[in-house]
Amino acid sequence: MAKKAKKTKAKPTKKPKSYKLSKQNKIILGSLLMLLSIALFFSFISFYFNWQDDQSALSEFNDRNEEAKNLLNKFGAAVSHFFMYKGFGLTALIIPVLLCFKGLYMFLALDQKGMLKKWIWGLIFMIWTSIALGFFAYEQPLLGGLIGYEMNDFLQDYIGKIGVLLLLLFGLIFILVRLFKFSPEDMAKWFKGKTSSLKSEFKGGGKVEETEPSMTLSLEPEDETPVIIDTYTHKEDIPPLVEDTVDDFEVTIPSEEETEDLTMKVEKIVEEKEEKKNIADKLVDDFGEFDPTLELGNYKFPTIELLDQHGVTGGITINQEELEENKIKIVNTLKNYKIGIAQIKATIGPTVTLYEIVPEAGVRISKIKNLEDDIALSLAALGIRIIAPIPGKGTIGIEVPNKNATIVSMRSVIASTKFQKAEMQLPIAFGKTISNETFVVDLAKMPHLLMAGATGQGKSVGLNAVLTSLLYKKHPAEVKFVLVDPKKVELTLFNKIERHFLAKLPDSEDAIITDNTKVIHTLNSLCIEMDNRYELLKTAMVRNIKEYNDKFKARKLNPNDGHMFLPYIVLVIDEFADLIMTAGKEVETPVARLAQLARAIGIHLIIATQRPSVNVITGLIKANFPARIAFRVTSKIDSRTILDASGADQLIGRGDMLYTQGNDVTRIQCAFVDTPEVEKITEYIGSQRAYAEAHQLPEYVGEESGTSLDNNISDRDAMFRQAAEVIVTAQQGSASLIQRKLKLGYNRAGRIVDQLEAAGIVGPFEGSKARQVLVPDLVALDQLLNNEL
């Protein structure tokens, strides 16, 4: 029998190491390439005037007493002789140009996506031009260089002068078509335009037949604005209409000629869309993708040295005596109740040790669960928590607090590989789990976070950990914070980064919001921002903020149409219970609306409260906050309110917390970041160059400032009628819509809305909702306005 061939395992292929230049090295190398290109340019130009005089200097290159007349002396003479005489002649000037572009892109840290393409086409054009100069200036070999001269001579020996000429013509067509997008249709249009303009000049003074303007509105998909096509048609050339009238209802059917005209217009629209796409691709090739961080291009992220190394630097200290003692006590306690254990294992964390036990066959889990207080009594420890069973494992977990807890510093969490290499939109490092692993989550996927816990159990430190994580990972152009602090003392340190990271109302002096009235206005302003962003996503035909920003970076959205790069907005409310007590529904309604809708457009909420009762954290809010954090609370009821499960009442405090995102509950020791550390971070950021002002949220006008204008026609704005037509056409009564469509400021748009309300075109103010439009269509609008005259 034949022996079976042994299967050999394929050796894993090693991935090639990728070397990436740092920003400083890019600046150094970029400046070197630019200066080198300038040197080559001057040496090449100088070559044409001094090449004969410098021949002796080339032969005596090692003689220091010998000088060349080239602007860069012997170096310039040697380099220019190599590239100009022995190389490509006059076209060698392309080389310093390409080097200058490469150096400039590296110096300014621009995207080099299209740089290889520029080099390839530059070299192709240089070779073709060298051969062409060698053919047409055969008597002047310096123009095409030795390469052009020899290549031309070689080709003529095989295909003759006519063959070389045809080959050069083909090369020219290739370059024009591939590089400059040349096509016969473009050439025909160009000649047609020239001949028609010449004919019109020769026919000047002739009688022009009477024409009648007709306006055609071509509707495109939602991502394009309507294209207005102006045509002038002779009266006798207007195609006849076939009319069919039934009960005074007129139906107009276009004839075949008109159908052809419509088809031509649709084809023209498709061509225009393709042209826009090509323009976007060309912009990306020429300038690279749009970089939102360019305005603060020199911004430096906070350094790890700004954070302190709290506690033990060498990790967790294992106390073998404590482990053995706890194991014996757990086994003996269970034996007292006739519960046998087949196996026990310990996992040590910074604050808590998890003992995993496998009971003997036939033992009911509920029996062990009911012994929670007895085990706590035997261990003489607070915060015993039994997990029966552990999800995904066939074991029962008993969490026992360590006698000497280890402080988890924010520095160790930020410096961890898991956080540094996290490819997330809004990465947050909370702390470390029981297995001593750094716990990192993405706020953009939560999408909102609810935090609760009794006073002094770590909520404020948890909020600081969230904000610190984002400051260490995101550029000021990418994320903005809206900070609400009813206690007026917890978030004041972040005032120093107002013009970098904070967002506020236009008329607000302080970026940290403490007044309840300002809180209500800010929440409603965020609702307006949400509606505006959804309108931008709709016109861009994308589903979320990531797709929108990617499309904007690729230069496929026109800023003249109101499009802009959208930063993430993180709303942080430190004490939600106080707002609910004082404002109630005025706060709950916009918060619930933001929680329901704001995820896709990049607005995320973090709400903290020390009183997680049902009248504060209502069912409407809880339903839209799947991600929740519970620090230590005083009762099982509070734990069930925040987590929908018990356990938060058994935590030991000082940053010990439970995290859930709608499925499993994870116990984490929150990273500790002290007030002086936050102060150093904010001072480091605040001392750098910032934007002119904080990020401006849309202006919000409350009910108290509603309209009291009389319907005085003479006082109306000059854009009143256009605004009325925009509102009636869109059937949406909002000042932001008038702003975008008519390119007006918010104050003027708000006055026009007041005038529209006085005229009976829109309804009264309804909070964060758009006003009701009372006029159904443009015909009714014309009748209404004509009756006023």
Side-chain angles (χ1 to χ4, degrees):
M1 293 178 67
K3 291 183 179 180
K4 292 183 179 178
K6 292 182 179 180
K7 292 183 180 179
T8 57
K9 293 183 179 179
K11 293 182 179 180
T13 56
K14 291 183 179 180
K15 294 183 179 178
K17 292 182 179 179
S18 58
Y19 298 97
K20 192 174 181 181
L21 291 174
S22 64
K23 187 174 181 181
Q24 291 83 358
N25 289 337
K26 283 183 179 179
I27 293 172
I28 293 169
L29 186 56
S31 61
L32 175 63
L33 290 176
M34 285 191 290
L35 294 174
L36 178 61
S37 67
I38 294 170
L40 289 177
F41 179 79
F42 282 114
S43 65
F44 288 177
I45 294 297
S46 179
F47 173 81
Y48 275 98
F49 300 97
N50 305 307
W51 69 274
Q52 290 176 326
D53 298 330
D54 291 342
Q55 293 301 309
S56 60
L58 291 173
S59 60
E60 300 291 339
F61 190 83
N62 294 327
D63 187 0
R64 294 183 62 182
N65 296 322
E66 187 70 31
E67 290 188 0
K69 290 188 177 181
N70 192 287
L71 291 175
L72 268 76
N73 211 328
K74 286 190 288 186
F75 170 78
V79 172
S80 58
H81 179 77
F82 177 79
F83 282 104
M84 306 290 282
Y85 179 76
K86 291 186 176 182
F88 301 97
L90 189 64
T91 56
L93 287 167
I94 292 175
I95 293 174
V97 173
L98 291 173
L99 280 175
C100 186
F101 267 109
K102 177 69 175 177
L104 186 64
Y105 272 59
M106 293 184 75
F107 186 81
L108 298 177
L110 300 176
D111 188 5
Q112 303 191 35
K113 187 178 180 182
M115 184 53 64
L116 180 61
K117 185 177 178 182
K118 289 182 175 66
W119 271 88
I120 292 172
W121 280 109
L123 295 175
I124 290 173
F125 186 73
M126 183 173 65
I127 294 169
W128 181 87
T129 310
S130 177
I131 298 172
L133 289 173
F135 179 81
F136 291 106
Y138 192 77
E139 302 297 329
Q140 299 290 334
L142 280 179
L143 291 176
L146 196 59
I147 289 178
Y149 181 84
E150 292 293 342
M151 285 291 293
N152 175 66
D153 197 46
F154 173 79
L155 291 171
Q156 285 192 26
D157 289 343
Y158 285 93
I159 59 177
K161 286 189 175 182
I162 295 177
V164 174
L165 183 63
L166 295 175
L167 190 63
L168 288 171
L169 182 61
F170 171 75
L172 178 63
I173 293 171
F174 178 80
I175 292 171
L176 289 174
V177 171
R178 296 306 301 268
L179 185 59
F180 299 104
K181 311 298 182 186
F182 167 82
S183 67
E185 291 85 358
D186 295 335
M187 183 62 74
K189 287 178 183 177
W190 185 80
F191 276 115
K192 190 175 180 181
K194 288 292 182 183
T195 53
S196 61
S197 63
L198 287 172
K199 284 181 182 178
S200 61
E201 287 178 11
F202 283 120
K203 288 183 178 180
K207 186 177 180 182
V208 181
E209 295 185 33
E210 184 183 357
T211 59
E212 184 179 79
S214 65
M215 188 78 75
T216 306
L217 175 64
S218 299
L219 295 177
E220 297 188 53
E222 291 177 329
D223 62 330
E224 302 290 345
T225 51
V227 177
I228 306 296
I229 304 170
D230 291 318
T231 58
Y232 287 87
T233 314
H234 293 291
K235 281 187 175 180
E236 58 268 29
D237 291 339
I238 297 176
L241 299 177
V242 181
E243 297 183 347
D244 185 12
T245 308
V246 181
D247 296 333
D248 296 327
F249 179 70
E250 187 174 315
V251 180
T252 306
I253 305 171
S255 64
E256 291 184 5
E257 292 180 28
E258 191 174 4
T259 306
E260 284 182 15
D261 187 47
L262 288 172
T263 306
M264 290 173 66
K265 286 170 185 172
V266 171
E267 289 176 355
K268 184 177 178 182
I269 291 166
V270 173
E271 287 177 5
E272 287 174 355
K273 288 185 71 178
E274 289 294 329
E275 187 179 348
K276 287 180 182 177
K277 186 179 178 182
N278 292 336
I279 290 171
D281 293 339
K282 192 171 187 304
L283 282 171
V284 172
D285 288 341
D286 291 343
F287 302 102
E289 288 193 346
F290 171 77
D291 185 5
T293 66
L294 207 56
E295 188 175 348
L296 295 184
N298 296 324
Y299 174 78
K300 294 179 181 178
F301 285 85
T303 60
I304 199 72
E305 288 74 22
L306 298 172
L307 295 170
D308 298 331
Q309 184 68 63
H310 299 282
V312 182
T313 58
I316 298 173
T317 304
I318 300 174
N319 189 331
Q320 291 291 349
E321 292 182 5
E322 183 183 347
L323 287 174
E324 190 65 26
E325 184 182 346
N326 286 340
K327 185 189 81 170
I328 293 170
K329 287 180 178 179
I330 290 172
V331 172
N332 290 337
T333 303
L334 294 175
K335 274 185 178 179
N336 292 337
Y337 293 93
K338 298 179 181 180
I339 298 173
I341 297 175
Q343 184 182 350
I344 186 167
K345 181 178 74 172
T347 304
I348 306 167
T351 309
V352 175
T353 299
L354 173 65
Y355 294 88
E356 292 183 60
I357 62 173
V358 179
E360 291 180 347
V363 176
R364 299 183 65 179
I365 293 175
S366 60
K367 192 174 183 182
I368 299 176
K369 181 71 175 171
N370 293 332
L371 294 175
E372 198 167 63
D373 294 336
D374 298 279
I375 295 172
L377 179 63
S378 66
L379 294 172
L382 294 173
I384 298 293
R385 180 169 169 261
I386 294 180
I387 310 167
I390 296 176
K393 296 183 179 181
T395 58
I396 295 171
I398 301 176
E399 293 176 351
V400 181
N402 299 334
K403 289 181 179 178
N404 298 313
T406 303
I407 298 176
V408 176
S409 65
M410 196 70 202
R411 177 169 180 158
S412 64
V413 171
I414 294 292
S416 66
T417 306
K418 192 169 185 180
F419 179 75
Q420 292 295 329
K421 294 186 176 180
E423 295 183 359
M424 302 175 179
Q425 300 301 315
L426 297 172
I428 295 174
F430 279 121
K432 293 191 175 182
T433 62
I434 285 180
S435 56
N436 203 35
E437 293 179 1
T438 303
F439 190 79
V440 183
V441 289
D442 190 357
L443 177 62
K445 292 183 178 178
M446 286 185 186
H448 311 294
L449 177 63
L450 192 60
M451 299 174 68
T455 304
Q457 302 304 318
K459 289 191 312 302
S460 297
V461 174
L463 286 177
N464 284 338
V466 170
L467 295 173
T468 302
S469 300
L470 294 174
L471 291 178
Y472 266 90
K473 202 71 173 172
K474 307 306 289 183
H475 190 276
E478 298 174 314
V479 64
K480 301 294 178 184
F481 301 124
V482 178
L483 303 181
V484 177
D485 183 14
K487 288 189 282 188
K488 305 180 181 180
V489 293
E490 295 293 346
L491 301 174
T492 51
L493 288 174
F494 294 95
N495 263 324
K496 297 173 185 176
I497 59 171
E498 175 180 338
R499 292 190 294 130
H500 290 87
F501 281 99
L502 301 190
K504 64 177 185 178
L505 293 172
D507 59 341
S508 179
E509 294 181 5
D510 298 324
I512 311 296
I513 305 156
T514 56
D515 181 65
N516 282 350
T517 305
K518 285 288 178 67
V519 173
I520 296 167
H521 285 193
T522 303
L523 292 174
N524 283 286
S525 174
L526 284 172
C527 289
I528 296 170
E529 175 73 12
M530 177 181 71
D531 294 335
N532 292 346
R533 289 191 172 198
Y534 267 116
E535 190 68 28
L536 291 175
L537 262 63
K538 177 184 173 184
T539 56
M541 294 190 72
V542 293
R543 297 176 62 186
N544 55 55
I545 187 173
K546 187 178 184 302
E547 293 177 6
Y548 178 89
N549 283 338
D550 288 344
K551 201 168 183 179
F552 186 82
K553 286 180 185 177
R555 302 183 186 274
K556 294 179 181 178
L557 299 174
N558 193 343
N560 293 330
D561 297 333
H563 292 291
M564 67 192 80
F565 180 83
L566 300 178
Y568 285 91
I569 296 178
V570 179
L571 169 64
V572 178
I573 301 178
D574 187 29
E575 186 43 70
F576 190 63
D578 182 67
L579 296 179
I580 291 294
M581 287 176 61
T582 55
K585 289 290 182 183
E586 288 183 284
V587 167
E588 184 185 357
T589 302
V591 165
R593 189 157 181 260
L594 288 169
Q596 288 168 346
L597 299 171
R599 171 183 182 174
I601 45 84
I603 299 178
H604 302 279
L605 281 62
I606 300 175
I607 292 177
T609 180
Q610 57 181 293
R611 201 184 64 188
S613 55
V614 291
N615 61 332
V616 174
I617 304 175
T618 62
L620 185 62
I621 291 176
K622 278 181 65 176
N624 295 290
F625 284 78
R628 301 171 201 165
I629 286 177
F631 292 91
R632 188 169 185 269
V633 294
T634 54
S635 67
K636 281 185 168 61
I637 296 174
D638 287 346
S639 178
R640 292 190 179 278
T641 302
I642 181 67
L643 292 176
D644 293 329
S646 60
D649 55 312
Q650 296 164 320
L651 299 175
I652 60 174
R654 299 188 64 190
D656 189 18
M657 70 184 205
L658 296 176
Y659 170 84
T660 180
Q661 200 168 346
N663 38 33
D664 300 335
V665 177
T666 306
R667 191 166 186 174
I668 304 166
Q669 177 59 41
C670 183
F672 179 65
V673 52
D674 205 358
T675 302
E677 295 175 77
V678 177
E679 191 171 5
K680 284 190 285 185
I681 294 169
T682 54
E683 282 181 355
Y684 181 86
I685 296 173
S687 63
Q688 299 183 51
R689 178 174 169 268
Y691 296 107
E693 57 184 358
H695 183 77
Q696 298 292 303
L697 297 174
E699 188 174 352
Y700 171 76
V701 182
E703 284 188 61
E704 65 276 2
S705 49
T707 180
S708 59
L709 294 176
D710 295 327
N711 190 13
N712 192 340
I713 298 175
S714 61
D715 292 338
R716 286 178 181 172
D717 193 279
M719 303 287 284
F720 174 82
R721 189 177 184 91
Q722 292 95 315
E725 291 174 355
V726 167
I727 292 294
V728 172
T729 302
Q731 286 294 300
Q732 179 184 345
S734 68
S736 57
L737 178 64
I738 297 175
Q739 274 184 279
R740 289 197 309 274
K741 295 295 184 182
L742 301 182
K743 296 180 174 58
L744 302 177
Y746 188 87
N747 292 330
R748 186 178 179 187
R751 287 194 297 271
I752 293 176
V753 169
D754 291 341
Q755 294 168 5
L756 291 171
E757 180 185 349
I761 297 172
V762 298
F765 178 79
E766 296 182 20
S768 60
K769 295 181 181 178
R771 293 171 183 252
Q772 184 182 0
V773 181
L774 305 177
V775 179
D777 50 37
L778 294 176
V779 176
L781 176 65
D782 288 336
Q783 292 176 352
L784 176 66
L785 296 180
N786 291 335
N787 289 336
E788 291 180 340
L789 299 176

